[in-house]
Amino acid sequence: MDATVILPILKKKLAFLSGGKDRRSGLILTIPLCSEQTSMDELSVTLDYLLSIPSDKCKARGFTVIVDGRKSQWNIVKTVVLMLQNVVPAEVSLVCVVKPDEFWDKKVTHFCFWKEKDRLGFEVILVSGNKLTRYIEPSQLTEEFGGSLTYDHMDWLNKRLVFEKFTKESTSLLDELAVINNGSDKGNQNEKDRSMDFNYLPSVDPETVLQTGHELLSELQQRRFNGLEGGVAWSPMDDELLAQPQVMKLLDSLREQYTRYQEVCRQRSKRTQLDEIQQKVMQVVNWLEGPGSEQLRTQWGIGDSIRASQALQQKHEEIESQHSEWFAVYVELNQQIAALLNAGDEEDLVELKGLQQRLSDVCYRQASQLEFRQNLLQIALEFHGVAQELSQQLDGLLGMLCVDVAPTDGAAIQQTLKLLEEKLKSVDTGLQGLREKGQNLLDQISNQASWAYGKDVSSENKDNVDHIQNVMEDMQLRKQRCEDMVDVRRLKMLQMVQLFKCEEDAAQAVEWLNELLDALLKTHIRLGDDSQETKILIEKHRKFVDVAQVSLCCIIASYFWHFEIESSHISRSCINQIHMIFHESVRFKELV
């Protein structure tokens, strides 16, 4: 029976255990009857509760019951004494009925308690309050009986409530902790039962219960110490009523079970942490091997232009962004696993290392695949960039070759030839760079199958290889056509250089003829004084004519030789020069 159930009755102080002892070391039970009518039922309940407190050893020494009838009527006292027979007959050794002075003398004869000793099972004596010390030491009597024992019923009741609350909570807590601890010790538990035990928590906080117990024990020990040293009597919460030993025993059991419970909680927390880490590891692994790998499986192309390659790179950056979120989780998990490995138990090391190894393998493989794909796209972008630049160079060279050349002199033709040679050399350099980039890209594509995760990428790789080879072959053909056109243009321009040279020679010949004519007209005007001198002048004149004719024939022969090679290249100025030389020679002959 708990004090809280009968708390209103206990507050009435119908009976109490003061903590005092008789000369046989039996406990003293006091029943203070009042002038008001006492409820026998309530008194019986009170006695049942009080007699349940002492230990069996303490009960075996018997009780001395003090029935204080000084403020009550005789019939109530008699009823109470008779009730003790039914409540605690074997545990009562002496009943001291405290009577009022000279009040019950005539009535006692009607009921002699000593004659009923055998039937009652205990001795009953009538005694005045001032003579009670004959049977009980004054130090074991409360103040109302002339003793020195201090007793505060409400203080006792409050302490009793605290004690019972602690006892109830600690007992319940011990049962709960035992269930939890014993359940965690079962090695053959299935996962479902273990999960239930993990979710089962004590109904009260063990720390709070332990603190309450320590405070209660401290107060009990302090009261006992004061009773020994200061002479203050013990209270019923002390050693004789087993309060202190019971509290100590409960605290010891609680500490033991709580220590085991803390270890269980630590193991549970570690197990929970391991399960959470394993769950997160599997989430990372499943995503990387599932959706993450599937994203990369669909990305095998390299594009057919710079714009297409840039679009693929942008798509790849989006994939990398999604992967980076999971890689951040990997870094966090790796740190947690490393911390657990440093502070973990021996049995957890294998599992933790296995999780760490698997997580690292998957993440490193996926990161390597992302890096490989990024490098491949970068090389493809560089390849298409070189191809586009080479195409522009070929277009510029072709445009230059398709335009008719109308140079003004040989120097302009030489400058044009130099520009053609430079452009052709630049095309050669660009084509060589394209071949190197293309070969590097082909080497990368040949290694792409190792990242296929079982996917057949031969068709995708074949398309990429065909595209690269087609681009390089197309550029080679275009370069070859441009080289052929450059050869033709080079020959044509060299011929034009020679024509310009002939024009210069013709102009020089005309100039010589004019000078020869001027010299002839100025110096060869004499006819001679005799036939001999005239013959000499004629011979000299014939030499002038021969020189002019030879020069004219050489120049005309040179013009017509070029005319035979490529008549379309003879300019109008060349024709005019021929006519001028011809007319000059005719005029020269006429003058002669």
Side-chain angles (χ1 to χ4, degrees):
M1 184 183 300
D2 293 336
T4 53
V5 178
I6 58 173
L7 184 59
I9 298 176
L10 292 176
K11 286 182 178 181
K12 294 180 179 181
K13 197 181 178 181
L14 300 178
F16 63 89
L17 290 167
S18 63
K21 295 181 291 183
D22 57 21
R23 290 185 173 91
R24 298 186 307 272
S25 296
L27 292 176
I28 298 175
L29 174 63
T30 304
I31 303 176
L33 299 177
C34 58
S35 59
E36 299 178 357
Q37 185 69 27
T38 301
S39 172
M40 294 298 112
D41 292 336
E42 292 182 351
L43 179 58
S44 177
V45 170
T46 302
L47 292 175
D48 288 339
Y49 175 75
L50 292 176
L51 294 175
S52 67
I53 296 176
S55 66
D56 293 338
K57 181 180 179 181
C58 195
K59 291 178 183 179
R61 292 197 292 264
F63 288 89
T64 292
V65 181
I66 300 176
V67 180
D68 188 1
R70 291 175 293 181
K71 297 180 181 180
S72 181
Q73 300 175 3
W74 166 249
N75 59 343
I76 296 178
V77 173
K78 183 176 64 173
T79 303
V80 170
V81 174
L82 293 175
M83 185 184 68
L84 291 175
Q85 178 187 12
N86 299 323
V87 177
V88 283
E91 298 172 350
V92 176
S93 59
L94 176 64
V95 176
C96 296
V97 178
V98 182
K99 64 178 181 175
D101 295 338
E102 299 179 356
F103 184 70
W104 290 340
D105 292 342
K106 296 180 180 180
K107 295 181 180 180
V108 169
T109 58
H110 296 286
F111 186 84
C112 296
F113 286 111
W114 64 273
K115 295 181 180 180
E116 301 293 332
K117 179 178 180 180
D118 294 335
R119 185 172 66 87
L120 291 174
F122 48 82
E123 181 183 359
V124 181
I125 60 173
L126 295 175
V127 63
S128 299
N130 55 0
K131 296 180 180 179
L132 191 59
T133 54
R134 296 178 181 178
Y135 304 96
I136 303 172
E137 295 293 333
S139 63
Q140 303 300 318
L141 291 174
T142 56
E143 295 176 354
E144 59 262 40
F145 300 114
S148 60
L149 181 62
T150 301
Y151 175 76
D152 185 341
H153 185 69
M154 292 308 298
D155 180 66
W156 172 84
L157 186 56
N158 291 331
K159 296 297 186 297
R160 186 67 193 176
L161 291 173
V162 173
F163 171 74
E164 288 190 357
K165 180 183 178 183
F166 167 73
T167 304
K168 182 179 180 180
E169 288 183 348
S170 59
T171 303
S172 175
L173 180 60
L174 282 172
D175 294 338
E176 294 175 356
L177 292 178
V179 171
I180 297 174
N181 295 337
N182 294 334
S184 64
D185 292 338
K186 295 179 181 179
N188 56 353
Q189 271 190 314
N190 56 41
E191 190 68 24
K192 182 178 180 181
D193 293 338
R194 188 177 68 178
S195 177
M196 291 177 62
D197 286 341
F198 278 7
N199 295 326
Y200 180 55
L201 299 175
S203 58
V204 292
D205 181 20
E207 293 285 352
T208 303
V209 177
L210 283 171
Q211 182 179 359
T212 303
H214 284 299
E215 292 174 355
L216 179 60
L217 181 61
S218 177
E219 184 170 354
L220 290 175
Q221 292 174 339
Q222 184 67 28
R223 288 163 66 92
R224 182 180 181 185
F225 175 79
N226 291 337
L228 290 175
E229 299 295 334
V232 179
W234 294 358
S235 75
M237 289 296 294
D238 287 318
D239 184 63
E240 286 296 333
L241 301 185
L242 292 183
Q244 182 175 325
Q246 191 172 353
V247 171
M248 293 177 64
K249 183 179 180 181
L250 287 173
L251 283 175
D252 290 341
S253 299
L254 272 177
R255 279 191 288 266
E256 179 184 357
Q257 290 292 339
Y258 185 51
T259 301
R260 291 182 59 195
Y261 172 72
Q262 287 179 317
E263 179 62 22
V264 170
C265 290
R266 190 185 72 82
Q267 294 293 336
R268 178 193 306 176
S269 176
K270 184 177 65 175
R271 184 70 257 173
T272 301
Q273 190 175 10
L274 286 175
D275 291 341
E276 290 178 354
I277 290 177
Q278 185 176 14
Q279 183 180 2
K280 291 181 180 179
V281 167
M282 293 310 301
Q283 288 179 351
V284 175
V285 170
N286 291 337
W287 190 89
L288 292 178
E289 291 183 343
S293 296
E294 187 61 30
Q295 288 179 347
L296 290 175
R297 287 192 187 101
T298 59
Q299 300 294 315
W300 294 102
I302 60 172
D304 56 0
S305 63
I306 293 180
R307 181 175 298 179
S309 295
Q310 289 174 342
L312 289 175
Q313 275 190 331
Q314 184 177 0
K315 178 64 177 177
H316 184 73
E317 290 174 357
E318 295 175 359
I319 295 175
E320 283 186 332
S321 177
Q322 297 181 23
H323 279 73
S324 63
E325 298 177 1
W326 291 98
F327 288 153
V329 177
Y330 157 70
V331 172
E332 180 181 356
L333 286 175
N334 200 34
Q335 293 175 350
Q336 293 179 5
I337 293 175
L340 289 176
L341 285 174
N342 292 332
D345 296 332
E346 191 68 27
E347 62 270 14
D348 300 328
L349 294 180
V350 176
E351 182 178 1
L352 287 171
K353 288 182 179 179
L355 288 174
Q356 187 181 42
Q357 187 63 41
R358 183 177 184 187
L359 182 64
S360 299
D361 290 344
V362 174
C363 289
Y364 280 128
R365 183 170 64 229
Q366 200 76 358
S368 299
Q369 185 177 359
L370 288 169
E371 183 180 6
F372 175 84
R373 175 65 180 168
Q374 178 63 33
N375 294 336
L376 180 67
L377 290 175
Q378 183 61 35
I379 296 174
L381 181 63
E382 294 174 358
F383 171 78
H384 289 122
V386 174
Q388 179 174 314
E389 183 180 359
L390 179 59
S391 179
Q392 292 173 353
Q393 292 176 351
L394 289 171
D395 290 340
L397 180 59
L398 182 62
M400 184 177 179
L401 293 172
C402 292
V403 176
D404 289 335
V405 180
T408 56
D409 53 21
I413 293 177
Q414 292 291 343
Q415 186 66 29
T416 303
L417 281 174
K418 183 179 179 182
L419 182 59
L420 279 176
E421 295 295 339
E422 290 177 353
K423 285 185 175 293
L424 188 60
K425 184 177 180 181
S426 177
V427 168
D428 287 335
T429 303
L431 184 60
Q432 182 63 31
L434 181 66
R435 290 195 185 102
E436 293 176 357
K437 293 293 183 182
Q439 187 58 49
N440 190 12
L441 187 55
L442 289 174
D443 294 339
Q444 290 290 323
I445 290 176
S446 64
N447 296 328
Q448 194 172 16
S450 61
W451 304 103
Y453 283 109
K455 176 180 172 63
D456 184 12
V457 295
S458 57
S459 59
E460 289 86 347
N461 283 340
K462 185 176 183 302
D463 294 339
N464 293 333
V465 171
D466 291 343
H467 168 69
I468 296 169
Q469 292 177 346
N470 290 337
V471 169
M472 292 192 295
E473 291 175 358
D474 180 63
M475 293 300 172
Q476 178 65 37
L477 291 176
R478 291 177 60 186
K479 174 182 175 293
Q480 187 63 45
R481 287 195 296 269
C482 288
E483 283 182 342
D484 295 341
M485 296 179 68
V486 166
D487 291 340
V488 174
R489 177 58 59 89
R490 184 187 295 109
L491 179 61
K492 179 178 179 180
M493 298 186 76
L494 289 175
Q495 293 173 352
M496 295 177 69
V497 169
Q498 293 178 355
L499 287 176
F500 278 117
K501 181 64 177 173
C502 291
E503 289 179 355
E504 293 176 0
D505 293 343
Q508 185 66 43
V510 170
E511 183 179 355
W512 287 346
L513 289 175
N514 288 330
E515 291 177 356
L516 185 62
L517 179 61
D518 291 340
L520 180 63
L521 293 177
K522 290 179 181 180
T523 58
H524 296 279
I525 55 176
R526 294 177 66 253
L527 298 176
D529 294 334
D530 50 23
S531 59
Q532 185 65 30
E533 185 178 2
T534 301
K535 289 180 181 181
I536 293 172
L537 290 174
I538 290 173
E539 184 64 26
K540 191 175 183 178
H541 180 72
R542 186 178 297 108
K543 290 180 181 180
F544 276 111
V545 174
D546 292 339
V547 171
Q549 287 180 346
V550 170
S551 299
L552 179 61
C553 290
C554 290
I555 294 172
I556 292 175
S558 175
Y559 271 108
F560 280 101
W561 178 74
H562 286 290
F563 179 78
E564 290 176 356
I565 294 176
E566 191 173 356
S567 59
S568 61
H569 289 174
I570 299 178
S571 61
R572 177 59 62 183
S573 61
C574 294
I575 303 296
N576 293 336
Q577 289 285 351
I578 294 173
H579 284 291
M580 185 180 66
I581 294 172
F582 178 76
H583 290 301
E584 287 293 335
S585 61
V586 171
R587 188 168 67 87
F588 182 80
K589 286 183 178 181
E590 290 177 351
L591 289 174
V592 174

